[in-house]
Amino acid sequence: MKKSLIALAVLAASGAAMAQSSVTVFGVIDEAVTYVNGADNWNGIQSGGNATSRIGFRGVEDLGGGLKANFWLEGGLLADQGTGNTAGQTGLDFQRRSTVGLEGGFGEVRLGRDLTEAYKATSRYDVFGQVGLGVSRLWANNTLGSGANAVALTSQRVSNMVTYVSPNISGFKAAVNYGFGEVAGENRDSRYVGAGLTYDNGPLSLGLSGERSNRGANSNVTRDVTAWALGGSYDLGVVKLSAAYRDSSAKNVAGDKNKAKGYYLGLSAPVGAAGEVKASYNRYEGEIAGADKHKADQFALGYVHNLSKRTALYGTYAYIKNKDDGALGQTLGTAATLKDNGSQHGLQVGIRHAF
């Protein structure tokens, strides 16, 4: 159960009006026994097979007149090791989200580190929630593939951002980000600019996004990356259908472009009162400037059984096959290496608990 700490501000000596504040502590602990079959197999316990393990604090203060102040601090956890979000890290940081803002009838303005609005607008159609073996890698953080044929992608999260999110207008919402590069004398270096447009009305959901991430001393990308994506879903009741397409190019100083694109198809369906089955297919394509295009196909099947509103058991099976003898080098995200034919199988069984 979420624990809310409700505090009423004391009356100021000047007779100022009383304001109400609330702070919520929240989190997820998710761990899964995982096995991946490749040229070198891997097995162990992974954190975050169904939802990313995390802990956070968020709060809001009613300032009156429809205006509210808010903050959000959220840090990732490697629950299998009891450490921070990075292996070997001993302390907790808040690199998942660290924002403060104001919201009202005009929408919301916030400052700090967060997921980009471009990422939020279209990655939400991944039925595996962008976690675990079945995750769609169209929105992979920084790169698609590995080795010599890896193609640079944008980062999912950006620091030093100013974000504006519009109010909901007949189902439409628009949001923009500007991330300062903070490189002295070079305003364009390491800069991020992105936007997302969403529409949600009954069973229909749509999302469109565009973004640009510049290379530089304070950037995670080594090239200037430009990307756009389109996605949507429709809930038929007995099954929910999802689809998305993403296209990006990464340009170096000489103007040579590496390209990545792909599409995604997914479905989820309720099973009884407590279960959900989900399946997805992904096609990935990467092209290094002046070289051949390399492809990979990924299939995933999963089941989630909710024991309560906060606790669930789940299982996921995933298969990936890189074409051209594994040239793209995309894996299922563990230390297991690809087989000679560029394939891997993976299986996860785990438990998720939210608080």
Side-chain angles (χ1 to χ4, degrees), residues 52 96 114-126 128-131 135-142 153-158 161 175 177 192-198 207-211 227-231 244 246:
T52 302
R96 284 183 59 82
D114 198 358
L115 288 167
T116 68
E117 295 301 323
Y119 175 84
K120 292 179 184 179
T122 51
S123 69
R124 62 186 181 144
Y125 299 110
D126 181 1
F128 286 92
Q130 282 289 284
V131 293
V135 60
S136 173
R137 290 164 174 85
L138 290 180
W139 299 272
N141 202 32
N142 300 325
L153 299 179
T154 54
S155 299
Q156 296 171 354
R157 290 178 172 83
V158 172
M161 283 200 305
N177 299 120
Y192 174 86
V193 181
L197 176 64
T198 59
L208 176 66
S209 66
E211 55 190 327
W228 68 274
L230 174 67
R246 191 167 193 251

Side-chain angles (χ1 to χ4, degrees), residues 105-107 164 166-174 197-201:
F106 59 88
Y164 169 72
S166 76
N168 189 315
I169 304 175
S170 301
F172 287 96
K173 291 184 75 173
L197 176 64
T198 59
Y199 175 75
D200 295 281
N201 188 0

Side-chain angles (χ1 to χ4, degrees), residues 3-7 21-25 57-60 71:
K3 298 179 180 179
S4 296
L5 308 175
I6 308 297
S21 300
S22 68
V23 176
T24 300
V25 181
F57 309 87
R58 60 176 179 255
V60 62
F71 80 91

Side-chain angles (χ1 to χ4, degrees), residues 269-289:
V271 179
E276 180 189 25
V277 64
K278 45 194 178 181
S280 68
Y281 165 72
N282 285 273
R283 160 56 66 94
Y284 311 122
E285 297 181 0
E287 182 180 355
I288 301 299

Side-chain angles (χ1 to χ4, degrees), residues 11-176:
L11 289 175
S14 62
M18 186 178 295
Q20 179 172 297
S21 300
S22 68
V23 176
T24 300
V25 181
F26 66 94
V28 175
I29 301 296
D30 181 316
E31 301 190 50
V33 177
T34 304
Y35 172 76
V36 176
N37 172 251
D40 296 312
N41 298 337
W42 187 91
N43 59 81
I45 295 180
Q46 283 192 312
S47 178
N50 178 258
T52 302
S53 296
R54 73 196 80 165
I55 187 168
F57 309 87
R58 60 176 179 255
V60 62
E61 180 186 17
D62 190 342
L63 301 175
L67 185 64
K68 296 179 180 180
N70 62 58
F71 80 91
W72 192 304
L73 295 171
E74 183 177 328
L77 299 171
L78 290 177
D80 55 323
Q81 301 178 26
T83 63
N85 199 42
T86 303
Q89 177 183 330
T90 57
L92 176 68
D93 61 32
F94 297 105
Q95 291 198 31
R96 284 183 59 82
R97 181 169 174 179
S98 177
T99 63
V100 63
L102 292 173
E103 56 186 298
F106 59 88
E108 180 183 5
V109 175
R110 59 178 178 263
L111 309 178
R113 178 177 174 83
D114 198 358
L115 288 167
T116 68
E117 295 301 323
Y119 175 84
K120 292 179 184 179
T122 51
S123 69
R124 62 186 181 144
Y125 299 110
D126 181 1
V127 295
F128 286 92
Q130 282 289 284
V131 293
L133 293 181
V135 60
S136 173
R137 290 164 174 85
L138 290 180
W139 299 272
N141 202 32
N142 300 325
T143 58
L144 174 69
S146 63
N149 292 319
V151 180
L153 299 179
T154 54
S155 299
Q156 296 171 354
R157 290 178 172 83
V158 172
S159 300
N160 308 310
M161 283 200 305
V162 177
T163 299
Y164 169 72
V165 181
S166 76
N168 189 315
I169 304 175
S170 301
F172 287 96
K173 291 184 75 173
V176 295

